[in-house]
Amino acid sequence: MDMRDDVLEVLVSAEEIQKRTAELGEEIGRDYGDRNPLLICVLRGAVVFLSDLMRSIPVHVMVDFMGVSSYGGTNMDSSGVIKITRDVDTNIAHHDVIIVEDIVDTGLTMKALVDLLNTRGPSSIAICTFLSKPQRRKVDVDIRYCGFEVPNKFVIGYGLDYDENYRNLPFVGVLKPEVYEKRKEEKG
């Protein structure tokens, strides 16, 4: 079965993604000039976005990775309590850090991550998210760079997954509700 059959609608096309990612890269280049920012990619969802984004930034950048999980009442909600599953290798003190994230939803996880990284003495921290769901926000987070705002729907593709599937779709789509409802029944 073709995984695209599980997509209810396409929200952001592959062409729109490439265009906006290039714009974000140029904007970061203008903002950082010769400061050599450190891009910290939040695993796993942001890897696809990072790979396109960093190639569109016209200034030198460093790259590191961080694994974060947040525990909520369900697999679809974040509590904002984070567990570091993989920490950065770089000492971020005195670096201009840009957190590269796939999606900021409630903002709880991102706020906790920013608070944690701020304790390590960076020169600055900025957030660059591929997607944002502002209508779900529970806490304020300062998103400096945003690819797209999306409605409160379950989105997949371009790095975003459901149960570790659909990350390799070249676009952002809405997952058909019957897919995750069926999966809940199978697991429940």
Side-chain angles (χ1 to χ4, degrees):
M1 182 175 137
D2 189 322
M3 68 181 159
R4 290 172 288 202
D5 294 339
D6 293 340
V7 176
L8 181 66
E9 65 180 304
V10 174
L11 290 179
V12 187
S13 71
E15 296 77 21
E16 291 170 308
I17 291 169
Q18 294 310 309
K19 181 179 184 290
R20 181 65 183 132
T21 302
E23 292 169 354
L24 288 171
E26 289 295 323
E27 188 177 343
I28 289 169
R30 282 191 305 275
D31 290 350
Y32 285 85
D34 61 356
R35 290 191 294 170
N36 197 20
L38 170 63
L39 306 177
I40 297 179
C41 178
V42 180
L43 295 172
R44 298 180 194 140
V47 169
V48 177
F49 177 47
L50 172 75
S51 68
D52 287 339
L53 177 68
M54 67 187 213
R55 289 180 293 165
S56 66
I57 299 173
V59 299
H60 293 287
V61 296
M62 298 175 291
V63 177
D64 209 332
F65 299 87
M66 193 162 198
V68 179
S69 67
S70 64
Y71 296 94
T74 70
N75 288 338
M76 299 167 116
D77 289 321
S78 167
S79 68
V81 177
I82 62 172
K83 177 183 177 191
I84 304 302
T85 58
R86 184 207 187 283
D87 209 342
V88 293
D89 294 323
T90 307
N91 177 352
I92 70 169
H94 311 294
H95 283 284
D96 291 301
V97 170
I98 302 174
I99 300 170
V100 179
E101 177 65 293
D102 58 355
I103 188 166
V104 176
D105 193 335
T106 64
L108 293 168
T109 300
M110 185 54 63
K111 181 182 180 329
L113 182 56
V114 168
D115 290 348
L116 171 69
L117 292 178
N118 265 323
T119 67
R120 299 178 182 184
S123 296
S124 67
I125 295 180
I127 299 168
C128 178
T129 187
F130 174 55
L131 300 177
S132 176
K133 285 186 183 178
Q135 66 274 41
R136 294 237 332 138
R137 205 78 80 237
K138 292 182 179 178
V139 295
D140 287 333
V141 288
D142 181 20
I143 299 172
R144 186 177 305 168
Y145 308 101
C146 179
F148 302 92
E149 288 189 0
V150 292
N152 187 20
K153 297 180 178 183
F154 196 92
V155 292
I156 54 170
Y158 197 71
L160 291 105
D161 74 303
Y162 172 66
D163 203 21
E164 293 301 325
N165 291 301
Y166 309 103
R167 291 187 196 275
N168 55 319
L169 288 170
F171 56 82
V172 175
V174 176
L175 185 64
K176 289 179 180 175
E178 57 264 25
V179 174
Y180 53 84
E181 289 165 4
K182 180 182 176 190
R183 193 89 35 101
K184 280 184 192 176
E185 289 174 13
E186 292 170 355
K187 289 184 176 186

